[in-house]
Amino acid sequence: MAIRVQREDFDVGAELAALGAGNHRIGGICSFVGLVRDMNEGAGASEGVSAMTLEHYPGMTEKQLAAIDAEAHRRWPLEASLVVHRHGRLEPGDRIVLVATASPHREAAFEACHFLIDWLKTKAPFWKVEESAEGAARWVEARESDDAAAARWAAVDGKEG
Amino acid sequence: MKLLYFAWLRQKIGVGEETIDLPADIADARGLVTWLKGRGEGYEIAFRDLDAIKLAVNQDYADLDAPVKAGDEVAFFPPVTGG
């Protein structure tokens, strides 16, 4: 129910503590934190990644994230949800994205969190360009495995818990 | 019409955003791409492989058959890689 796209880092503990605070119907919170890795998965590429820059489409990014979030709430009985996605230049170890879901039931929280990150990766308009230690820049290509992960949810409906 | 280009499309075209007067005979995104390719070498290179490009009309995903009209915001970009 909350979407944020920002350059700044976020505090995972503070975000989770605030999510649905005071709502005692919530029985569990599930979270996913995406980090910048120091290696890429380009075809045949073995060079390290010294930094990456995330570009996004202001306006459409928020619109698409809100649509994905609404879909998660349609499928699962969520009491609260949060997506925070960073943009700009990030280095290995930096946090990129936080997805958190809160539900009366753990299965719904787990599944909705998994769904949100899978759909986010294929539907939210972000693009990564990686820098190698030598200073070469390389646009990260979309991965078929991400498409497959997102497609897995196309036919799966939420459980009632 | 407002046009937006992201990632390597922006780099090849040389601008991230521009405003154009849409020619009256263009009715869909495919026609728009064909017209853009005639505007210079950067456009021609950027739009060479249409299978490698996604687009959005007014911030919703669309395809090349999508209707476009004056006043729309149309964006072109490679497949997304967030998360």
Side-chain angles (χ1 to χ4, degrees), chain A residues 55-60 63-64 85 96-97 120-128 139-142, chain B residues 4-8 10-11 55-61 73-75 77-83:
Chain A
E55 178 176 330
H56 77 297
Y57 180 172
M60 181 171 172
K63 183 176 182 179
Q64 295 299 322
H85 203 302
I96 304 174
V97 61
L120 179 160
K121 285 185 85 80
T122 58
K123 296 181 192 297
F126 288 94
W127 302 273
K128 291 173 180 152
W139 289 100
V140 175
E141 291 187 17
Chain B
L4 298 163
Y5 312 107
F6 293 96
W8 54 257
R10 171 176 49 77
Q11 292 180 325
L55 67 115
V57 177
N58 298 326
Q59 303 188 354
D60 282 319
Y61 287 102
E73 176 176 304
V74 181
F77 43 80
V80 304
T81 57

Short mmCIF file of all heavy atoms in Angstrom, two decimals, chain A residues 55-60 63-64 85 96-97 120-128 139-142, chain B residues 4-8 10-11 55-61 73-75 77-83:
data_model
loop_
_atom_site.label_atom_id
_atom_site.label_comp_id
_atom_site.label_asym_id
_atom_site.label_seq_id
_atom_site.Cartn_x
_atom_site.Cartn_y
_atom_site.Cartn_z
N GLU A 55 18.62 3.61 -13.67
CA GLU A 55 17.84 4.67 -14.30
C GLU A 55 16.38 4.26 -14.22
O GLU A 55 16.08 3.06 -14.24
CB GLU A 55 18.30 4.77 -15.76
CG GLU A 55 17.58 5.79 -16.61
CD GLU A 55 18.20 5.85 -18.02
OE1 GLU A 55 19.41 5.60 -18.17
OE2 GLU A 55 17.46 6.14 -18.97
N HIS A 56 15.47 5.21 -14.10
CA HIS A 56 14.06 4.83 -14.11
C HIS A 56 13.23 5.88 -14.84
O HIS A 56 13.75 6.90 -15.28
CB HIS A 56 13.55 4.60 -12.69
CG HIS A 56 13.28 5.87 -11.91
ND1 HIS A 56 14.26 6.78 -11.60
CD2 HIS A 56 12.13 6.36 -11.39
CE1 HIS A 56 13.72 7.78 -10.92
NE2 HIS A 56 12.44 7.56 -10.78
N TYR A 57 11.96 5.56 -14.99
CA TYR A 57 11.02 6.41 -15.72
C TYR A 57 10.10 7.03 -14.67
O TYR A 57 9.12 6.41 -14.27
CB TYR A 57 10.25 5.53 -16.71
CG TYR A 57 9.21 6.18 -17.59
CD1 TYR A 57 8.62 5.44 -18.61
CD2 TYR A 57 8.81 7.51 -17.44
CE1 TYR A 57 7.65 5.99 -19.44
CE2 TYR A 57 7.86 8.07 -18.27
CZ TYR A 57 7.27 7.30 -19.27
OH TYR A 57 6.31 7.85 -20.09
N PRO A 58 10.44 8.23 -14.19
CA PRO A 58 9.63 8.84 -13.14
C PRO A 58 8.17 8.96 -13.57
O PRO A 58 7.88 9.35 -14.71
CB PRO A 58 10.27 10.23 -12.96
CG PRO A 58 11.67 10.06 -13.46
CD PRO A 58 11.56 9.08 -14.60
N GLY A 59 7.29 8.62 -12.71
CA GLY A 59 5.86 8.64 -13.06
C GLY A 59 5.39 7.25 -13.42
O GLY A 59 4.56 6.67 -12.72
N MET A 60 5.95 6.70 -14.50
CA MET A 60 5.53 5.34 -14.89
C MET A 60 5.99 4.32 -13.86
O MET A 60 5.28 3.35 -13.59
CB MET A 60 6.08 4.98 -16.27
CG MET A 60 5.63 3.58 -16.70
SD MET A 60 6.04 3.19 -18.41
CE MET A 60 5.60 1.43 -18.47
N LYS A 63 3.56 4.34 -11.11
CA LYS A 63 2.28 3.84 -11.60
C LYS A 63 2.29 2.32 -11.72
O LYS A 63 1.34 1.64 -11.31
CB LYS A 63 1.98 4.48 -12.97
CG LYS A 63 0.64 4.10 -13.56
CD LYS A 63 0.40 4.85 -14.88
CE LYS A 63 -0.97 4.51 -15.46
NZ LYS A 63 -1.22 5.25 -16.71
N GLN A 64 3.39 1.77 -12.26
CA GLN A 64 3.47 0.32 -12.44
C GLN A 64 3.63 -0.39 -11.10
O GLN A 64 3.05 -1.46 -10.88
CB GLN A 64 4.63 -0.04 -13.38
CG GLN A 64 4.43 0.46 -14.81
CD GLN A 64 3.20 -0.11 -15.48
OE1 GLN A 64 2.87 -1.28 -15.31
NE2 GLN A 64 2.48 0.71 -16.24
N HIS A 85 12.23 1.29 -3.77
CA HIS A 85 13.21 0.97 -4.82
C HIS A 85 14.11 2.19 -5.02
O HIS A 85 13.62 3.29 -5.20
CB HIS A 85 12.51 0.61 -6.12
CG HIS A 85 13.35 -0.23 -7.04
ND1 HIS A 85 14.58 0.16 -7.50
CD2 HIS A 85 13.14 -1.46 -7.56
CE1 HIS A 85 15.08 -0.79 -8.29
NE2 HIS A 85 14.23 -1.79 -8.33
N ILE A 96 19.27 -2.20 -2.92
CA ILE A 96 18.57 -1.67 -4.10
C ILE A 96 17.08 -1.56 -3.83
O ILE A 96 16.45 -0.55 -4.14
CB ILE A 96 18.73 -2.61 -5.33
CG1 ILE A 96 20.20 -2.86 -5.66
CG2 ILE A 96 18.00 -2.04 -6.53
CD1 ILE A 96 20.39 -3.90 -6.76
N VAL A 97 16.51 -2.61 -3.28
CA VAL A 97 15.05 -2.69 -3.19
C VAL A 97 14.63 -3.38 -1.90
O VAL A 97 15.33 -4.28 -1.42
CB VAL A 97 14.47 -3.43 -4.43
CG1 VAL A 97 14.99 -4.86 -4.52
CG2 VAL A 97 12.95 -3.43 -4.45
N LEU A 120 7.85 -7.16 -10.08
CA LEU A 120 8.58 -5.89 -10.12
C LEU A 120 9.75 -5.96 -11.12
O LEU A 120 9.98 -5.04 -11.90
CB LEU A 120 9.08 -5.59 -8.71
CG LEU A 120 9.89 -4.36 -8.39
CD1 LEU A 120 9.79 -4.09 -6.88
CD2 LEU A 120 11.34 -4.47 -8.77
N LYS A 121 10.45 -7.09 -11.09
CA LYS A 121 11.65 -7.22 -11.94
C LYS A 121 11.33 -7.19 -13.42
O LYS A 121 12.18 -6.84 -14.23
CB LYS A 121 12.40 -8.51 -11.60
CG LYS A 121 13.18 -8.43 -10.30
CD LYS A 121 14.01 -9.68 -10.06
CE LYS A 121 15.34 -9.61 -10.75
NZ LYS A 121 16.33 -8.80 -10.00
N THR A 122 10.11 -7.59 -13.80
CA THR A 122 9.78 -7.62 -15.22
C THR A 122 8.82 -6.52 -15.65
O THR A 122 8.59 -6.35 -16.84
CB THR A 122 9.16 -8.99 -15.61
OG1 THR A 122 7.99 -9.20 -14.81
CG2 THR A 122 10.14 -10.12 -15.38
N LYS A 123 8.27 -5.77 -14.69
CA LYS A 123 7.26 -4.77 -15.05
C LYS A 123 7.59 -3.34 -14.63
O LYS A 123 7.04 -2.39 -15.19
CB LYS A 123 5.89 -5.17 -14.45
CG LYS A 123 5.35 -6.48 -15.01
CD LYS A 123 4.00 -6.80 -14.41
CE LYS A 123 3.56 -8.22 -14.73
NZ LYS A 123 3.36 -8.49 -16.16
N ALA A 124 8.45 -3.16 -13.64
CA ALA A 124 8.75 -1.80 -13.22
C ALA A 124 9.87 -1.24 -14.11
O ALA A 124 10.90 -1.89 -14.30
CB ALA A 124 9.18 -1.78 -11.75
N PRO A 125 9.67 -0.03 -14.67
CA PRO A 125 10.64 0.50 -15.62
C PRO A 125 11.91 1.06 -14.97
O PRO A 125 12.04 2.26 -14.75
CB PRO A 125 9.85 1.56 -16.39
CG PRO A 125 8.77 1.99 -15.46
CD PRO A 125 8.46 0.80 -14.58
N PHE A 126 12.82 0.13 -14.68
CA PHE A 126 14.17 0.45 -14.21
C PHE A 126 15.16 -0.19 -15.18
O PHE A 126 14.89 -1.26 -15.74
CB PHE A 126 14.43 -0.15 -12.82
CG PHE A 126 13.72 0.52 -11.70
CD1 PHE A 126 12.49 0.03 -11.26
CD2 PHE A 126 14.28 1.61 -11.05
CE1 PHE A 126 11.83 0.63 -10.20
CE2 PHE A 126 13.62 2.21 -9.98
CZ PHE A 126 12.40 1.73 -9.55
N TRP A 127 16.32 0.45 -15.33
CA TRP A 127 17.38 -0.13 -16.16
C TRP A 127 18.70 0.04 -15.43
O TRP A 127 18.99 1.11 -14.88
CB TRP A 127 17.46 0.56 -17.53
CG TRP A 127 16.17 0.46 -18.25
CD1 TRP A 127 15.77 -0.56 -19.07
CD2 TRP A 127 15.08 1.39 -18.21
NE1 TRP A 127 14.49 -0.34 -19.52
CE2 TRP A 127 14.04 0.85 -19.01
CE3 TRP A 127 14.86 2.60 -17.56
CZ2 TRP A 127 12.83 1.50 -19.19
CZ3 TRP A 127 13.63 3.25 -17.74
CH2 TRP A 127 12.64 2.71 -18.55
N LYS A 128 19.52 -1.04 -15.47
CA LYS A 128 20.81 -1.02 -14.77
C LYS A 128 21.94 -0.93 -15.78
O LYS A 128 21.97 -1.68 -16.76
CB LYS A 128 20.98 -2.32 -13.98
CG LYS A 128 20.06 -2.48 -12.79
CD LYS A 128 20.22 -3.87 -12.19
CE LYS A 128 19.29 -4.07 -10.99
NZ LYS A 128 18.92 -5.48 -10.81
N TRP A 139 25.13 -2.14 -20.27
CA TRP A 139 23.73 -2.22 -19.88
C TRP A 139 23.38 -3.66 -19.56
O TRP A 139 23.67 -4.56 -20.33
CB TRP A 139 22.82 -1.70 -20.99
CG TRP A 139 22.92 -0.21 -21.15
CD1 TRP A 139 23.65 0.48 -22.07
CD2 TRP A 139 22.31 0.77 -20.31
NE1 TRP A 139 23.53 1.83 -21.86
CE2 TRP A 139 22.71 2.04 -20.80
CE3 TRP A 139 21.46 0.71 -19.20
CZ2 TRP A 139 22.28 3.23 -20.19
CZ3 TRP A 139 21.04 1.90 -18.61
CH2 TRP A 139 21.44 3.13 -19.11
N VAL A 140 22.77 -3.87 -18.41
CA VAL A 140 22.35 -5.22 -18.01
C VAL A 140 21.19 -5.63 -18.90
O VAL A 140 20.26 -4.86 -19.13
CB VAL A 140 21.93 -5.23 -16.54
CG1 VAL A 140 21.37 -6.59 -16.13
CG2 VAL A 140 23.12 -4.85 -15.66
N GLU A 141 21.25 -6.86 -19.42
CA GLU A 141 20.17 -7.35 -20.27
C GLU A 141 19.13 -8.09 -19.43
O GLU A 141 19.45 -8.72 -18.43
CB GLU A 141 20.73 -8.29 -21.35
CG GLU A 141 21.57 -7.54 -22.37
CD GLU A 141 22.00 -8.42 -23.52
OE1 GLU A 141 21.40 -9.49 -23.70
OE2 GLU A 141 22.95 -8.04 -24.21
N ALA A 142 17.88 -8.00 -19.88
CA ALA A 142 16.80 -8.73 -19.20
C ALA A 142 17.08 -10.22 -19.30
O ALA A 142 17.64 -10.70 -20.29
CB ALA A 142 15.47 -8.37 -19.85
N LEU B 4 9.98 10.10 -24.85
CA LEU B 4 11.00 9.81 -23.86
C LEU B 4 11.80 8.59 -24.30
O LEU B 4 11.23 7.63 -24.85
CB LEU B 4 10.36 9.52 -22.50
CG LEU B 4 9.55 10.64 -21.86
CD1 LEU B 4 8.66 10.10 -20.75
CD2 LEU B 4 10.48 11.70 -21.31
N TYR B 5 13.11 8.63 -24.07
CA TYR B 5 13.98 7.49 -24.40
C TYR B 5 14.80 7.14 -23.17
O TYR B 5 15.31 8.04 -22.48
CB TYR B 5 14.91 7.84 -25.55
CG TYR B 5 14.22 8.50 -26.71
CD1 TYR B 5 14.40 9.87 -26.97
CD2 TYR B 5 13.38 7.78 -27.55
CE1 TYR B 5 13.76 10.49 -28.03
CE2 TYR B 5 12.73 8.39 -28.61
CZ TYR B 5 12.92 9.75 -28.85
OH TYR B 5 12.28 10.36 -29.89
N PHE B 6 14.94 5.84 -22.90
CA PHE B 6 15.69 5.42 -21.71
C PHE B 6 16.81 4.44 -22.07
O PHE B 6 16.78 3.80 -23.11
CB PHE B 6 14.73 4.77 -20.69
CG PHE B 6 13.76 5.75 -20.11
CD1 PHE B 6 12.48 5.87 -20.63
CD2 PHE B 6 14.12 6.58 -19.06
CE1 PHE B 6 11.57 6.78 -20.10
CE2 PHE B 6 13.23 7.50 -18.52
CZ PHE B 6 11.96 7.60 -19.04
N ALA B 7 17.77 4.36 -21.14
CA ALA B 7 18.90 3.42 -21.21
C ALA B 7 19.65 3.61 -22.54
O ALA B 7 19.93 4.74 -22.92
CB ALA B 7 18.41 2.00 -20.98
N TRP B 8 19.97 2.51 -23.24
CA TRP B 8 20.82 2.69 -24.42
C TRP B 8 20.10 3.39 -25.57
O TRP B 8 20.75 3.96 -26.45
CB TRP B 8 21.47 1.37 -24.87
CG TRP B 8 20.55 0.19 -25.11
CD1 TRP B 8 20.36 -0.88 -24.28
CD2 TRP B 8 19.75 -0.06 -26.28
NE1 TRP B 8 19.46 -1.76 -24.83
CE2 TRP B 8 19.09 -1.29 -26.06
CE3 TRP B 8 19.52 0.63 -27.47
CZ2 TRP B 8 18.21 -1.84 -27.00
CZ3 TRP B 8 18.63 0.08 -28.40
CH2 TRP B 8 18.01 -1.15 -28.16
N ARG B 10 18.38 6.10 -25.19
CA ARG B 10 18.69 7.51 -24.92
C ARG B 10 20.11 7.84 -25.40
O ARG B 10 20.33 8.90 -26.00
CB ARG B 10 18.55 7.77 -23.41
CG ARG B 10 19.05 9.13 -22.96
CD ARG B 10 18.79 9.35 -21.47
NE ARG B 10 19.22 8.22 -20.65
CZ ARG B 10 20.48 7.97 -20.33
NH1 ARG B 10 21.44 8.76 -20.76
NH2 ARG B 10 20.79 6.93 -19.60
N GLN B 11 21.04 6.92 -25.12
CA GLN B 11 22.43 7.17 -25.52
C GLN B 11 22.59 7.22 -27.04
O GLN B 11 23.30 8.05 -27.57
CB GLN B 11 23.34 6.10 -24.92
CG GLN B 11 23.44 6.21 -23.40
CD GLN B 11 24.34 5.15 -22.78
OE1 GLN B 11 24.38 4.02 -23.25
NE2 GLN B 11 25.05 5.52 -21.74
N LEU B 55 7.78 -0.31 -25.41
CA LEU B 55 7.28 1.06 -25.43
C LEU B 55 6.10 1.21 -24.49
O LEU B 55 5.47 0.23 -24.08
CB LEU B 55 6.89 1.48 -26.85
CG LEU B 55 5.71 0.78 -27.50
CD1 LEU B 55 4.59 1.77 -27.72
CD2 LEU B 55 6.12 0.16 -28.82
N ALA B 56 5.85 2.45 -24.12
CA ALA B 56 4.71 2.77 -23.27
C ALA B 56 4.02 4.00 -23.84
O ALA B 56 4.67 4.92 -24.33
CB ALA B 56 5.17 3.05 -21.85
N VAL B 57 2.69 3.99 -23.80
CA VAL B 57 1.90 5.15 -24.18
C VAL B 57 1.19 5.64 -22.93
O VAL B 57 0.45 4.87 -22.29
CB VAL B 57 0.89 4.78 -25.29
CG1 VAL B 57 0.02 6.00 -25.63
CG2 VAL B 57 1.60 4.27 -26.54
N ASN B 58 1.45 6.88 -22.58
CA ASN B 58 0.88 7.48 -21.36
C ASN B 58 1.15 6.60 -20.13
O ASN B 58 0.27 6.37 -19.30
CB ASN B 58 -0.61 7.76 -21.55
CG ASN B 58 -0.82 8.76 -22.66
OD1 ASN B 58 -0.01 9.68 -22.86
ND2 ASN B 58 -1.89 8.60 -23.42
N GLN B 59 2.38 6.08 -20.07
CA GLN B 59 2.91 5.36 -18.91
C GLN B 59 2.30 3.98 -18.70
O GLN B 59 2.45 3.39 -17.63
CB GLN B 59 2.80 6.21 -17.64
CG GLN B 59 3.52 7.56 -17.80
CD GLN B 59 3.61 8.36 -16.51
OE1 GLN B 59 3.05 7.98 -15.49
NE2 GLN B 59 4.36 9.45 -16.55
N ASP B 60 1.64 3.45 -19.75
CA ASP B 60 1.21 2.05 -19.73
C ASP B 60 1.90 1.32 -20.87
O ASP B 60 2.05 1.86 -21.97
CB ASP B 60 -0.31 1.93 -19.89
CG ASP B 60 -1.05 2.25 -18.61
OD1 ASP B 60 -0.58 1.80 -17.53
OD2 ASP B 60 -2.08 2.94 -18.67
N TYR B 61 2.30 0.06 -20.60
CA TYR B 61 2.95 -0.72 -21.66
C TYR B 61 2.02 -0.84 -22.86
O TYR B 61 0.80 -0.98 -22.71
CB TYR B 61 3.31 -2.11 -21.14
CG TYR B 61 4.47 -2.09 -20.18
CD1 TYR B 61 4.28 -2.18 -18.81
CD2 TYR B 61 5.78 -1.94 -20.65
CE1 TYR B 61 5.35 -2.14 -17.92
CE2 TYR B 61 6.85 -1.90 -19.77
CZ TYR B 61 6.63 -1.99 -18.41
OH TYR B 61 7.69 -1.94 -17.55
N GLU B 73 2.06 10.88 -24.28
CA GLU B 73 3.45 10.73 -23.84
C GLU B 73 3.87 9.32 -24.25
O GLU B 73 3.28 8.33 -23.80
CB GLU B 73 3.55 10.89 -22.32
CG GLU B 73 4.93 10.65 -21.76
CD GLU B 73 4.99 10.93 -20.24
OE1 GLU B 73 4.64 12.05 -19.83
OE2 GLU B 73 5.39 10.01 -19.50
N VAL B 74 4.84 9.23 -25.15
CA VAL B 74 5.27 7.93 -25.65
C VAL B 74 6.74 7.72 -25.27
O VAL B 74 7.57 8.60 -25.49
CB VAL B 74 5.11 7.83 -27.19
CG1 VAL B 74 5.53 6.45 -27.69
CG2 VAL B 74 3.66 8.11 -27.58
N ALA B 75 7.01 6.56 -24.67
CA ALA B 75 8.38 6.26 -24.23
C ALA B 75 8.87 4.98 -24.90
O ALA B 75 8.11 4.03 -25.10
CB ALA B 75 8.42 6.09 -22.72
N PHE B 77 12.14 2.10 -24.74
CA PHE B 77 13.20 1.63 -23.84
C PHE B 77 13.46 0.15 -24.05
O PHE B 77 12.61 -0.56 -24.60
CB PHE B 77 12.80 1.91 -22.38
CG PHE B 77 11.38 1.59 -22.03
CD1 PHE B 77 10.99 0.28 -21.77
CD2 PHE B 77 10.41 2.59 -21.98
CE1 PHE B 77 9.68 -0.01 -21.44
CE2 PHE B 77 9.08 2.30 -21.65
CZ PHE B 77 8.71 0.99 -21.38
N PRO B 78 14.62 -0.34 -23.58
CA PRO B 78 14.88 -1.78 -23.64
C PRO B 78 14.09 -2.50 -22.55
O PRO B 78 13.54 -1.85 -21.66
CB PRO B 78 16.39 -1.89 -23.38
CG PRO B 78 16.81 -0.61 -22.79
CD PRO B 78 15.77 0.42 -23.07
N PRO B 79 14.04 -3.85 -22.61
CA PRO B 79 13.38 -4.60 -21.54
C PRO B 79 13.92 -4.18 -20.18
O PRO B 79 15.12 -3.91 -20.04
CB PRO B 79 13.73 -6.05 -21.86
CG PRO B 79 13.90 -6.07 -23.34
CD PRO B 79 14.54 -4.75 -23.67
N VAL B 80 13.04 -4.13 -19.18
CA VAL B 80 13.41 -3.56 -17.89
C VAL B 80 14.28 -4.52 -17.07
O VAL B 80 14.19 -5.73 -17.23
CB VAL B 80 12.17 -3.14 -17.09
CG1 VAL B 80 11.33 -2.16 -17.91
CG2 VAL B 80 11.34 -4.35 -16.67
N THR B 81 15.12 -3.95 -16.20
CA THR B 81 16.06 -4.76 -15.41
C THR B 81 16.17 -4.23 -13.98
O THR B 81 17.27 -4.06 -13.45
CB THR B 81 17.45 -4.78 -16.06
OG1 THR B 81 17.93 -3.44 -16.22
CG2 THR B 81 17.43 -5.44 -17.41
N GLY B 82 15.02 -3.98 -13.34
CA GLY B 82 15.06 -3.50 -11.96
C GLY B 82 15.15 -4.63 -10.95
O GLY B 82 15.39 -5.78 -11.30
N GLY B 83 14.92 -4.27 -9.71
CA GLY B 83 14.91 -5.26 -8.64
C GLY B 83 16.28 -5.60 -8.11
O GLY B 83 17.27 -5.12 -8.59
#
